Amino acid sequence: MDETRRSLIKGMLTGGTLLALGTPGITQAVSISQSPSGSTRNCQLLLGNTTIDEAFARGAYAACTSYTNYRQGTLPIIRLEDELLTNPLRVAELLTQSRNIRWIAVMDDASAAIFTELVRNFEGRLLSLGSHSFSSGNDISFPLRHVWATASPAYSAGGLLASELIPNQHNFSIVENFLGESVGDGVIKGSSISGFLSYRLSEQPTTYLHCAGISLIEASQLVGWKGAENWGSVLPRVDKFQTYEDKTANDAAIKHPQLENWIETTGYAVVATALGLGTNQESCSARAFVHRPSQRNRNNQELSGKHFVSFVIDV
């Protein structure tokens, strides 16, 4: 196994371990048939004193600006500083006083482990739990990696994130695993992004792989899935196929902002989805986006080595 593939899989497994340990115990997720916008009451952003807080918050504010039906206008922010590690009871009290709040939280691995247990005790309802990292180096083919466990495709930020990362020529992989499938007809509606070729796993037709600038067999190997002989091309129906396009409740197309780096873009995608923007209705149990541009992007090198965990939880 070459070093590039080993580094990628190691990073994905590290993130996957966190997701696997945290997901099952956070009680049941929201109803799969429930729309995100219908269940959103009050959203608040919880910053866990990481080096990426400000960049993520800028992306969050951009999402609020795009989401014209978000009546609060701004997203309230709570900064934990060192409280989660040194004073978890303060955070427990905060959760006790925040019923009917949708928390969008960002923190490092250590804080995420504590926060997961606190949410478990308060029977919080998990919408999504993501591991996000960027590493640079000449031997790293895919430096930007996102791994998500999500209640259902209705709460998926992967398609929106992929569409926002492509213009900046990022090499990235996005892997999503869903705890339940959306109710739908199985037609790709929210993840067919221009430039991607879509495939479905033959023996598991609810598993999708979307590739751009990379062969199917290499993409499937890089995300740890089966070889190309088990995949079939997805040919969308002309009358139902559409490229990725977000709409608000009044069916007006959303114009996404220009964001400076991958952390802002991740914040935008996570918060936009939590607010009900960019809902994906693809009926699937797992999917991945793998993108390799024709020329490598050298921006964002100052963000190399960054890793954080995101939560979207109703309490």
Side-chain angles (χ1 to χ4, degrees):
M1 181 185 295
D2 61 68
E3 187 65 24
T4 297
R5 183 182 174 194
R6 184 182 297 111
S7 297
L8 175 63
I9 294 178
K10 179 180 179 181
M12 293 181 62
L13 289 176
T14 300
T17 299
L18 172 64
L19 300 183
L21 291 175
T23 297
I26 310 182
T27 69
Q28 69 276 16
V30 295
S31 170
I32 296 172
S33 62
Q34 188 177 14
S35 67
S37 58
S39 62
T40 302
R41 296 169 184 167
N42 298 299
C43 288
Q44 295 194 30
L45 183 61
L46 186 67
L47 300 178
N49 191 30
T50 70
T51 57
I52 59 89
D53 283 355
E54 297 306 319
F56 191 93
R58 287 193 294 271
Y61 281 131
C64 289
T65 300
S66 297
Y67 192 74
T68 57
N69 289 334
Y70 187 55
R71 296 181 179 179
Q72 284 183 269
T74 60
L75 192 65
I77 291 181
I78 293 180
R79 300 177 185 274
L80 288 182
E81 298 181 354
D82 295 325
E83 292 167 336
L84 190 53
L85 294 176
T86 61
N87 188 12
L89 292 180
R90 163 73 177 88
V91 181
E93 181 182 357
L94 179 65
L95 292 174
T96 302
Q97 299 171 352
S98 63
R99 294 299 181 183
N100 299 321
I101 295 293
R102 176 162 294 175
W103 286 105
I104 304 159
V106 178
M107 54 195 66
D108 59 23
D109 285 338
S111 296
I114 298 173
F115 187 70
T116 298
E117 289 304 315
L118 292 174
V119 173
R120 189 194 313 273
N121 291 335
F122 286 94
E123 299 185 346
R125 296 181 297 173
L126 173 69
L127 301 187
S128 72
L129 172 58
S131 176
H132 317 279
S133 62
F134 179 88
S135 300
S136 65
N138 294 329
D139 60 338
I140 298 178
S141 179
F142 285 84
L144 184 54
R145 300 185 293 268
H146 302 268
V147 182
W148 259 297
T150 308
S152 82
Y155 299 93
S156 163
L160 177 56
L161 179 59
S163 68
E164 293 296 310
L165 290 174
I166 287 177
N168 291 323
Q169 295 294 304
H170 283 291
N171 286 27
F172 64 82
S173 66
I174 300 172
V175 179
E176 299 178 292
N177 292 283
F178 304 110
L179 306 184
E181 295 180 32
S182 291
V183 177
D185 55 12
V187 177
I188 298 178
K189 297 179 180 179
S191 60
S192 295
I193 302 172
S194 177
F196 279 90
L197 296 177
S198 301
Y199 301 90
R200 178 184 297 172
L201 191 59
S202 300
E203 60 268 34
Q204 294 179 317
T206 58
T207 299
Y208 290 89
L209 178 58
H210 306 286
C211 308
I214 185 173
S215 69
L216 170 63
I217 187 168
E218 186 177 1
S220 62
Q221 290 173 345
L222 283 170
V223 299
W225 290 356
K226 296 184 178 180
E229 66 275 7
N230 298 306
W231 295 89
S233 177
V234 175
L235 299 177
R237 292 172 53 180
V238 176
D239 59 336
K240 292 189 176 182
F241 175 75
Q242 60 181 10
T243 56
Y244 195 96
E245 184 179 60
D246 300 318
K247 297 179 181 295
T248 56
N250 62 3
D251 210 39
I254 291 294
K255 293 182 179 180
H256 299 298
Q258 294 295 319
L259 301 165
E260 292 186 5
N261 56 61
W262 73 271
I263 295 176
E264 289 187 12
T265 305
T266 303
Y268 178 84
V270 170
V271 173
T273 305
L275 297 177
L277 175 68
T279 302
N280 169 58
Q281 294 298 332
E282 181 180 31
S283 181
C284 60
S285 60
R287 67 174 183 167
F289 296 90
V290 183
H291 178 259
R292 173 184 287 161
S294 57
Q295 57 183 358
R296 183 170 297 185
N297 181 284
R298 291 299 179 182
N299 294 328
N300 300 310
Q301 293 303 307
E302 72 279 6
L303 300 178
S304 177
K306 300 299 182 183
H307 175 259
F308 63 96
V309 180
S310 68
F311 293 86
V312 180
I313 292 175
D314 284 347
V315 295

